[in-house]
Amino acid sequence: MFNDKAEAGITGRVYNYEEREGGSSIYLKDAYVQLKGSEVFCSLPYILIYTKEQSRFSTGSQLKIYGIIYKPETPSNPGQFNQKEYLREKNIYYTATAKSITDMGNPGNNISYSFRGFTMGIKEKLAEVYKNALPEKECGIVSAMLLGDKTLADLDMKNLYKQSGIGHLLAISGLHISILGIAVYKLVKWSVALLCSIFSYIYKNKAVTLKYLKILSVLAGASRIMPAFAAMIFILFYGNMTGPGISTDRAVSMMLLMLLAPVIYKSYDMLSALGASAVIILFQKPFAVFSCSFLLSYGAVLGIVLVYPVLNKIYTGSPDSNNSYNRRKKYMYSFGKLLKSKNKNPSLMMSLKYIFYFILEKTADLFLTSLSIQIVTLPVILYFYYEFPIYGIFINIIILPLMPLVVITSAAGGVAGLFSMPLAGFLLGSTKFLLDIYETVCRLAAKLPCNIVIAGKPGIWQIAVYLFIVVFALYIIHNTDNCNPVLPFAIYTVAFCVIIYTRRYNGVNITFLDTGQGDAIFIQDNKGTVYLVDGGSSSVEKAGTYRIIPFLKYNGIKKIDYIIITHPDEDHISGIREILEQPGGGIKAETLLVPDPASACKDTAYYNIIKTAMENNVKTAYIGAGDIISNNAGFSIKCLHPQHGFNAGSANAYSAVLSVSYGNTSFLLTGDIEGNGEDALSDRLYTDKTLPGYYNVLKVAHHGSKNSSKEKFLERAAPDISVISCGKNNLYGHPHKELIKRLENCGSKWVSTSEAGAVTVLSNGEKTTIKTYKRN
């Protein structure tokens, strides 16, 4: 009924809302949409509404909205976040921006909306407690950990946790729910036991009567049933409060089954519970099976259930996961018995021995558990994120034992804050102390060499081979008595090398990225040297973070050897600045090359980008007409413009122009060249006999402006294919129809990143192959 967007009227009931920077996100359920000029109403299960104001509406309220409805954006570059698939996992197929919102109130009582509204109210009060009792940084972490609200989390802290391999702590998962659920279970169990003790004390000197036996029977039954039902009610409440999510839904479903099993005299089987939770989730959200959150959540549990017992067999000689636990219990029992013995001064060495064995067992158990999870989830992590933290296993060994304290103190502090802020401050002070330990450990790990391995997106064949080798190794361990631990770990090392292997094209790869209204050109020569020519956008926010860097990681790029800036306009350098300012563990830039026009042409932006490079230990140098970068293997980049000290009529006019050659193929990259700069370039093209007679590919100057790429220039360049880098529906009307006509008149075909997405040109030295990353 429409292409990309359309005006529409929308009605629906508020199910969830989130405050964000610059506005709010409102999730409507049971929505109806009527496009402007249409009499047809379309029903949608969910729709996501963005507003520029931080509006609050009661859960269940009926909203009448007028605005623009959109189809979710599909990625236009390899490695770019896929918003369409992310929303599809949540059963959201359209988004909208609101121009006007009318709150029509709550149309009637509905138990689900009323319960949701009640839990959201508690969530808001808890969030307010955390805001008042904790510093901003810690408040964001606790809100993410306990309330499932990541909007307050500091971006630097989220990246730090992710790069340290503990990003899973910021998502509500089985770890959080099991800690809180078991805490409630034990609290109620101890309360019932206390009642039984009090009752027994009162009646200890009285005759046993039928009434006494009935009361005792009720208390005995309550001690078995009440803790389980109390924990189940709490988990349902908590899951509803934190909002729907794959990991939350899985954890809630499995925890409910685990608590219910003994009540109805059944045994609990984790694999069966895992399968049941998957059926429940996929029945409601079928596309979730393709999502990263689903695969990671279920992969982690499968690692614990299937891989851990096999690895545990190497260490303990038994696949029984309770074996390590029983031995740790034995050590502590023996230590306690030693302290109570007649020897009032037990040997220090004997005491330390039991403590040492206990810590060793616990550490080994945590290591095997973390390793089991990573073995299963590594392909998923690399497939979706293209990198993984190599020290994550060891950081988790330090972090996870403290997690129950973090969860319990923050939860207790939040509840206490509903009644007494001083008490909340006391309890949450402990939480802050523990989170400071987390941050210190993560920052220390970030300083270690090679803390992040950027492997790129593995191919399907790599994942298949990896899984085959892993299954083979596990089979050997499972079916071999007294298996030498070196053998399976050696086999897994082979699997690890297969999954992180980065394959690159043997020739030259030139990709024109879609950064909206801007330029970013990636080049990798036949020896693997990486060049980035420009990188910025005036229409896409944080183009470096969300488009350029993901593309580089997707291709397994760990280092940029040369960043070449044609000129310092924001649509050419905004993403470069983000790359230069990356924290440790990011993609490293070696050298920044900039043109050297007349001093009068150099503005603040010119000097600032050089300053940013120097502050981040990136070498800087000038590049000018006649300079050549060659790898002595048939590939070269020759700068054609500007001359050093060139007096340009504008920043665009002194754009660095590069002639790229490999074998018998050639490419001309022109930045935003125009005016007297294009005149000087044309003269050089006609007089320099060392240049190619024609170019296979031309990067059209200034995003397809009619003021660039004149007839004289195009006649000499004579490109087979012209690539135009511009934003879709941009404010400037690029590419201009006059420019398109000039391209067609010189016999050049053309392609635009606004329509085709990223354009990749592959050259083997004899011919070129062009691929476009088309939007679906």
Side-chain angles (χ1 to χ4, degrees):
M1 297 178 70
F2 67 96
N3 292 322
D4 296 315
K5 60 181 181 179
E7 293 187 56
I10 304 166
T11 60
R13 300 187 71 173
V14 177
Y15 180 72
N16 194 17
Y17 63 85
E18 296 173 350
E19 292 184 359
R20 56 184 177 84
E21 187 177 351
S24 302
S25 300
I26 305 171
Y27 295 82
L28 295 186
K29 191 176 181 180
D30 304 325
Y32 288 89
V33 179
Q34 184 181 24
L35 299 182
K36 184 178 180 181
S38 172
E39 297 182 357
V40 178
F41 284 87
C42 301
S43 63
L44 298 173
Y46 297 93
I47 186 168
L48 176 57
I49 310 294
Y50 298 108
T51 69
K52 293 183 178 180
E53 300 176 355
Q54 291 192 341
S55 307
R56 285 181 173 271
F57 300 97
S58 300
T59 303
S61 293
Q62 187 89 14
L63 300 186
K64 186 175 182 180
I65 299 171
Y66 181 76
I68 308 294
I69 187 171
Y70 297 88
K71 292 180 179 178
E73 183 181 3
T74 54
S76 56
N77 300 289
Q80 186 178 330
F81 174 69
N82 194 326
Q83 185 196 34
K84 183 177 181 180
E85 288 188 1
Y86 173 75
L87 292 175
R88 187 176 66 173
E89 170 205 323
K90 303 176 182 294
N91 278 351
I92 298 174
Y93 298 90
Y94 297 92
T95 63
T97 55
K99 292 183 176 180
S100 65
I101 302 178
T102 303
D103 188 349
M104 303 172 68
N106 199 319
N109 291 327
N110 183 295
I111 294 176
S112 63
Y113 284 114
S114 299
F115 182 58
R116 177 68 176 164
F118 174 70
T119 58
M120 287 295 291
I122 299 296
K123 181 177 180 178
E124 290 174 9
K125 291 179 181 179
L126 291 173
E128 196 64 30
V129 171
Y130 294 138
K131 287 180 184 178
N132 294 330
L134 286 169
E136 183 177 352
K137 184 169 61 178
E138 285 75 14
C139 170
I141 295 174
V142 171
S143 295
M145 281 185 178
L146 267 293
L147 304 180
D149 182 6
K150 295 183 182 179
T151 58
L152 299 176
D154 180 70
L155 181 60
D156 176 59
M157 291 303 297
K158 286 197 290 187
N159 288 334
L160 180 65
Y161 274 44
K162 177 183 173 183
Q163 292 176 356
S164 301
I166 61 170
H168 59 92
L169 300 183
L170 298 179
I172 305 297
S173 66
L175 177 64
H176 305 71
I177 288 175
S178 61
I179 291 171
L180 292 172
I182 291 172
V184 172
Y185 180 89
K186 289 188 175 181
L187 182 63
V188 175
K189 187 174 182 178
W190 291 339
S191 299
V192 174
L194 180 62
L195 286 175
C196 290
S197 299
I198 293 172
F199 177 76
S200 299
Y201 178 78
I202 292 172
Y203 281 87
K204 69 176 183 178
N205 294 322
K206 296 182 180 181
V208 176
T209 63
L210 183 61
K211 180 180 179 181
Y212 169 81
L213 293 175
K214 285 183 178 180
I215 295 174
L216 195 62
S217 176
V218 169
L219 288 175
S223 66
R224 187 178 66 86
I225 297 175
M226 280 186 63
F229 276 105
M232 290 167 69
I233 292 170
F234 169 79
I235 289 168
L236 286 171
F237 172 87
Y238 182 71
N240 191 274
M241 182 185 73
T242 55
I246 299 297
S247 59
T248 305
D249 292 347
R250 177 198 59 75
V252 168
S253 300
M254 294 183 68
M255 192 71 179
L256 290 175
L257 290 172
M258 186 184 76
L259 292 168
L260 183 62
V263 173
I264 59 175
Y265 300 101
K266 297 291 183 180
S267 60
Y268 174 75
D269 177 67
M270 189 177 286
L271 273 178
S272 300
L274 187 69
S277 67
V279 170
I280 293 169
I281 291 171
L282 295 178
F283 182 77
Q284 301 173 73
K285 304 172 182 178
F287 287 107
V289 72
F290 303 110
S291 71
C292 176
S293 56
F294 182 91
L295 295 173
L296 283 179
S297 182
Y298 280 82
V301 179
L302 286 174
I304 294 171
V305 177
L306 300 178
V307 179
Y308 171 80
V310 181
L311 297 183
N312 193 51
K313 181 182 178 183
I314 299 177
Y315 179 64
T316 66
S318 170
D320 185 3
S321 60
N322 291 321
N323 202 28
S324 297
Y325 171 77
N326 291 332
R327 195 159 52 251
R328 290 196 303 272
K329 189 174 179 181
K330 178 183 176 182
Y331 291 145
M332 294 312 294
Y333 172 76
S334 300
F335 178 57
K337 189 175 179 180
L338 179 67
L339 293 177
K340 295 177 181 179
S341 65
K342 293 181 179 180
N343 183 5
K344 298 300 181 182
N345 298 303
S347 168
L348 177 62
M349 292 301 297
M350 185 66 70
S351 302
L352 292 176
K353 174 185 174 183
Y354 288 122
I355 296 174
F356 173 75
Y357 283 152
F358 175 81
I359 294 174
L360 183 63
E361 285 287 339
K362 184 67 176 176
T363 303
D365 191 57
L366 283 171
F367 174 77
L368 292 178
T369 302
S370 297
L371 180 61
S372 301
I373 293 172
Q374 180 164 297
I375 287 173
V376 177
T377 59
L378 182 60
V380 181
I381 293 171
L382 291 180
Y383 189 84
F384 286 97
Y385 297 111
Y386 326 126
E387 62 181 356
F388 78 97
I390 199 164
Y391 304 119
I393 291 178
F394 307 101
I395 295 173
N396 274 282
I397 292 174
I398 301 171
I399 296 299
L400 289 181
L402 300 176
M403 195 59 187
L405 291 175
V406 173
V407 173
I408 296 299
T409 55
S410 55
V415 174
L418 301 176
F419 309 99
S420 171
M421 282 305 299
L423 179 58
F426 172 75
L427 292 170
L428 292 172
S430 303
T431 305
K432 182 184 182 305
F433 173 74
L434 293 169
L435 293 178
D436 287 342
I437 295 176
Y438 279 22
E439 183 177 355
T440 301
V441 171
C442 292
R443 293 203 182 279
L444 288 174
K447 295 179 181 179
L448 295 174
C450 303
N451 63 311
I452 298 291
V453 174
I454 300 174
K457 184 175 182 176
I460 298 299
W461 72 268
Q462 288 174 275
I463 296 174
V465 172
Y466 173 88
L467 293 176
F468 174 80
I469 295 174
V470 166
V471 172
F472 177 68
L474 294 175
Y475 176 82
I476 290 176
I477 300 170
H478 181 71
N479 291 279
T480 305
D481 294 329
N482 300 320
C483 177
N484 188 334
V486 175
L487 179 60
F489 280 105
I491 295 174
Y492 179 69
T493 301
V494 175
F496 180 78
C497 292
V498 168
I499 199 71
I500 67 169
Y501 169 70
T502 303
R503 183 182 180 185
R504 65 174 181 83
Y505 180 63
N506 291 328
V508 171
N509 176 351
I510 301 179
T511 299
F512 303 85
L513 298 178
D514 176 20
T515 60
Q517 189 66 13
D519 268 11
I521 305 170
F522 165 84
I523 304 173
Q524 188 172 37
D525 68 21
N526 55 319
K527 292 183 74 173
T529 305
V530 174
Y531 312 79
L532 183 63
V533 182
D534 288 335
S537 177
S538 60
S539 63
V540 175
E541 188 177 355
K542 294 187 176 180
T545 301
Y546 298 120
R547 299 211 176 183
I548 301 174
I549 294 174
F551 170 83
L552 295 173
K553 291 182 177 180
Y554 174 93
N555 286 283
I557 303 300
K558 306 166 185 65
K559 180 183 72 172
I560 304 172
D561 297 279
Y562 297 95
I563 295 178
I564 304 174
I565 292 178
T566 61
H567 65 295
D569 281 358
E570 194 67 9
D571 59 338
H572 290 251
I573 66 168
S574 64
I576 297 294
R577 189 184 303 112
E578 294 170 48
I579 292 172
L580 295 175
E581 293 176 344
Q582 282 184 102
I587 297 171
K588 181 176 175 56
E590 288 286 337
T591 304
L592 176 72
L593 301 177
V594 297
D596 183 27
S599 298
C601 301
K602 299 176 181 178
D603 58 9
T604 304
Y606 179 94
Y607 290 111
N608 283 346
I609 194 66
I610 295 175
K611 180 182 177 183
T612 301
M614 295 176 68
E615 289 175 345
N616 290 277
N617 301 315
V618 176
K619 294 179 289 186
T620 60
Y622 292 124
I623 187 169
D627 292 338
I628 297 175
I629 303 173
S630 174
N631 70 354
N632 298 318
F635 174 87
S636 67
I637 297 177
K638 183 175 184 178
C639 183
L640 306 184
H641 179 80
Q643 294 284 350
H644 291 280
F646 178 74
N647 190 14
S650 66
N652 288 344
Y654 73 74
S655 290
V657 176
L658 307 174
S659 177
V660 182
S661 299
Y662 177 55
N664 294 323
T665 59
S666 55
F667 318 88
L668 188 59
L669 314 179
T670 56
D672 277 358
I673 193 77
E674 63 181 10
N676 68 333
E678 184 173 327
D679 294 338
L681 172 63
S682 295
D683 291 342
R684 185 176 184 89
L685 285 170
Y686 278 98
T687 57
D688 191 339
K689 302 304 181 183
T690 65
L691 297 177
Y694 71 96
Y695 286 92
N696 297 93
V697 178
L698 166 69
K699 202 291 291 188
V700 176
H702 205 180
H703 319 291
S705 169
K706 63 183 177 182
N707 300 318
S708 297
S709 305
K710 302 295 185 178
E711 288 89 347
K712 179 183 177 182
F713 165 77
L714 290 175
E715 286 177 5
R716 172 61 185 86
D720 292 332
I721 298 289
S722 297
V723 179
I724 302 172
S725 180
C726 63
K728 195 167 189 177
N729 302 319
N730 63 81
L731 298 174
Y732 310 97
H734 295 156
H736 291 150
K737 59 183 179 181
E738 296 88 345
L739 179 279
I740 297 300
K741 187 174 181 180
R742 291 200 292 269
L743 290 175
E744 293 173 348
N745 288 341
C746 78
S748 175
K749 297 179 181 179
W750 63 276
V751 61
S752 168
T753 58
S754 62
E755 297 298 331
V759 179
T760 297
V761 182
L762 302 176
S763 169
N764 62 5
E766 295 297 329
K767 64 179 181 178
T768 59
T769 303
I770 297 180
K771 300 178 180 180
T772 59
Y773 197 81
K774 294 181 180 179
R775 291 181 171 87
N776 295 321

